[in-house]
Amino acid sequence: QVQLVQSGAEVKKPGASVKVSCKASGYTFTSYGISWVRQAPGQGLEWMGWISAYNGNTNYAQKLQGRVTMTTDTSTSTAYMELRSLRSDDTAVYYCARLVEVGTVAGNSRSYDYWGQGTLVTVSS
Amino acid sequence: QSVLTQPPSVSAAPGQKVTISCSGSSSNIGNNYVSWYQQLPGTAPKLLIYDNNKRPSGIPDRFSGSKSGTSATLGITGLQTGDEADYYCGTWDSSLSAHWVFGGGTKLTVL
């Protein structure tokens, strides 16, 4: 069965960096993209970006450009999200999610069918 | 402020029906497929509806989705206390900086 298993909780100081991992199993890793979505305490879902596990192409949310880097290691079927220059408002649960993308006559169908369990990142001095 | 607009909360009694709306624009809902996600307290989101109105395997037919123009709707019939959760709509936004967008989320309370 498809599983996305994320690394454990992190506590970081402002200005530091964090790198969260997402290990995939149960499917061909390079056949799907991975997105990262975060959720601040009591808030909604915020899309951070996407990486193609096939060729490493990325698409980042504009507000995070320059601070976020998404990578994959196909040898271990693992996706990574690194966020730099952390601020207190980066405190959130970070999720990885598998992107299903299918071309249809009506356009590309996209949805997130499997999600990791989430990783709490706390930024505090 | 989310690009997709959802009501912050809805409520209904067990056994009743509820609908949750999601309003967008031509750059997102109007020209792309909509999906819906259920987030039970303390858990990761779960795909409920994709391609506007399709249910993944294992999702009961009490959940339905529809889309008209630049709006989408999630319907839940035969409400159960276990349906209490936050619900999010999501879709691709084909504007200059193409990206995914979520609605702000709707808290469903089953009274």
Side-chain angles (χ1 to χ4, degrees):
Chain A
Q1 73 284 20
V2 174
Q3 279 193 301
L4 300 175
V5 178
Q6 299 182 222
S7 49
E10 304 262 14
V11 179
K12 296 291 182 181
K13 294 198 182 303
S17 298
V18 69
K19 191 169 185 176
V20 180
S21 67
C22 170
K23 183 168 176 58
S25 62
Y27 71 97
T28 302
F29 183 65
T30 51
S31 295
Y32 296 84
I34 292 285
S35 277
W36 290 87
V37 176
R38 69 180 181 178
Q39 186 171 38
Q43 302 302 306
L45 303 175
E46 179 187 10
W47 185 82
M48 299 178 66
W50 160 89
I51 182 166
S52 165
Y54 174 71
N55 58 18
N57 285 352
T58 55
N59 177 8
Y60 301 138
Q62 216 162 18
K63 72 175 278 189
L64 295 173
Q65 289 272 3
R67 285 208 302 139
V68 68
T69 301
M70 296 176 189
T71 56
T72 60
D73 180 347
T74 55
S75 69
T76 60
S77 298
T78 303
Y80 298 91
M81 185 284 300
E82 181 180 32
L83 189 60
R84 300 176 293 277
S85 302
L86 288 168
R87 309 186 290 245
S88 57
D89 61 356
D90 290 319
T91 293
V93 175
Y94 289 75
Y95 296 102
C96 60
R98 189 178 82 163
L99 175 67
V100 180
E101 188 168 14
V102 178
T104 75
V105 290
N108 282 357
S109 161
R110 297 180 180 92
S111 60
Y112 293 104
D113 63 347
Y114 288 93
W115 295 66
Q117 82 276 19
T119 296
L120 175 62
V121 175
T122 303
V123 183
S124 173
S125 54
Chain B
Q1 197 78 352
S2 301
V3 171
L4 305 181
T5 301
Q6 298 182 233
S9 63
V10 295
S11 61
Q16 297 300 303
K17 172 184 176 177
V18 72
T19 60
I20 297 173
S21 61
C22 176
S23 177
S25 68
S26 59
S27 68
N28 42 66
I29 292 178
N31 284 285
N32 291 285
Y33 289 101
V34 176
S35 49
W36 289 89
Y37 302 85
Q38 177 193 59
Q39 187 176 33
L40 296 169
T43 69
K46 172 184 172 182
L47 179 63
L48 212 54
I49 297 287
Y50 68 99
D51 288 1
N52 304 329
N53 55 17
K54 296 177 183 173
R55 284 175 287 106
S57 172
I59 301 299
D61 59 7
R62 300 189 298 108
F63 296 90
S64 64
S66 64
K67 185 183 109 167
S68 177
T70 59
S71 292
T73 301
L74 173 69
I76 311 173
T77 60
L79 277 172
Q80 302 173 0
T81 55
D83 296 332
E84 275 209 352
D86 293 320
Y87 292 84
Y88 295 89
C89 58
T91 187
W92 191 251
D93 191 300
S94 310
S95 56
L96 200 58
S97 60
H99 56 286
W100 184 270
V101 289
F102 286 106
T106 299
K107 168 71 178 173
L108 167 63
T109 302
V110 181
L111 303 165

